Amino acid sequence: MKIINNIDKLGTIGLFFTALFSPCCFPLFAFGASALGLGSFELFGGWTMWIFQAMVLISIVGLIISYRKHRCVYPLLIAIPSGILIFFAYYFSKSENAVYLIYSGMLGLFIATIANYYQNKVQGNCNTCISYGGKEVELKSTITCPNCGHKKEEMMPTDACQYFYECEKCKTVLKPKQGDCCVYCSYGTVKCPPIQADGDCC
């Protein structure tokens, strides 16, 4: 759960880390690399471009996941154009100053990540989250029926684990898989509140 909530941060930190350790590709970061005693050392060699672009995608995917959970669109409105700017610089720009487009995109992703953190963590902008056992947990989960594939978004109870669930389409009564404490842990996109909070069953 913690990793999913921080994918955007991992991606953004990763792209700055890649730039810092690739001063030949990102001259603006050469001073920082020199301060660390790296000189012109290229940590990733010929993989730099691909790793950097992967970090950009990871950052944007993390922000999309966060949007689907918290419905805060502003970070995405910054991140997507920033990502487009970076890929435009790599694949379409013929200018010698294309690297500055990349820097602008990096700045945009950094701002988007900070904005996302502020909206979701500081302001607690989650309409379907509650504090449970001292931790923030998500109550909304989408159950997929293993019999017919029907999906339905449900709000999970907090006072008891739900052991039975009837699919509204095929009327199959679902039960938890062996080792799971409830139907949400077995068939839902989000596990039940007790598992999210401390990993213990109801």
Side-chain angles (χ1 to χ4, degrees), residues 132 160-161 176-182 185 192-202:
Y132 185 97
C161 282
K177 296 177 182 178
Q178 185 174 2
D180 289 337
C181 62
C182 69
C185 289
C192 67
I195 293 294
Q196 291 182 58
D198 52 28
D200 292 330
C201 292
C202 306

Side-chain angles (χ1 to χ4, degrees), residues 7-8 56-67 76:
I7 289 178
D8 61 313
V56 172
L57 290 175
I58 289 172
S59 181
I60 293 174
V61 167
L63 289 167
I64 291 173
I65 292 173
S66 181
Y67 166 74
L76 271 185

Side-chain angles (χ1 to χ4, degrees), residues 69-71 124-130 138-139 155:
K69 180 178 179 182
H70 301 293
R71 298 300 174 184
N125 186 22
C126 177
N127 296 328
T128 56
C129 295
I130 64 166
E138 171 68 69
L139 295 182
M155 294 296 291

Side-chain angles (χ1 to χ4, degrees), residues 118-155:
Y118 179 77
Q119 288 288 335
N120 297 338
K121 302 299 180 182
V122 178
Q123 293 186 351
N125 186 22
C126 177
N127 296 328
T128 56
C129 295
I130 64 166
S131 178
Y132 185 97
K135 296 183 179 179
E136 184 184 74
V137 298
E138 171 68 69
L139 295 182
K140 184 169 62 178
S141 183
T142 301
I143 284 190
T144 301
C145 175
N147 185 51
C148 68
H150 179 69
K151 299 177 184 289
K152 187 176 182 184
E153 198 173 80
E154 300 282 4
M155 294 296 291

Side-chain angles (χ1 to χ4, degrees), residues 96-109:
E96 295 180 356
N97 297 319
V99 68
Y100 294 106
L101 296 178
I102 295 176
Y103 292 151
S104 298
M106 292 174 67
L107 178 61
L109 287 173

Side-chain angles (χ1 to χ4, degrees), residues 33-45:
S34 298
L36 293 174
L38 299 174
S40 59
F41 175 69
E42 292 286 332
L43 179 63
F44 303 108

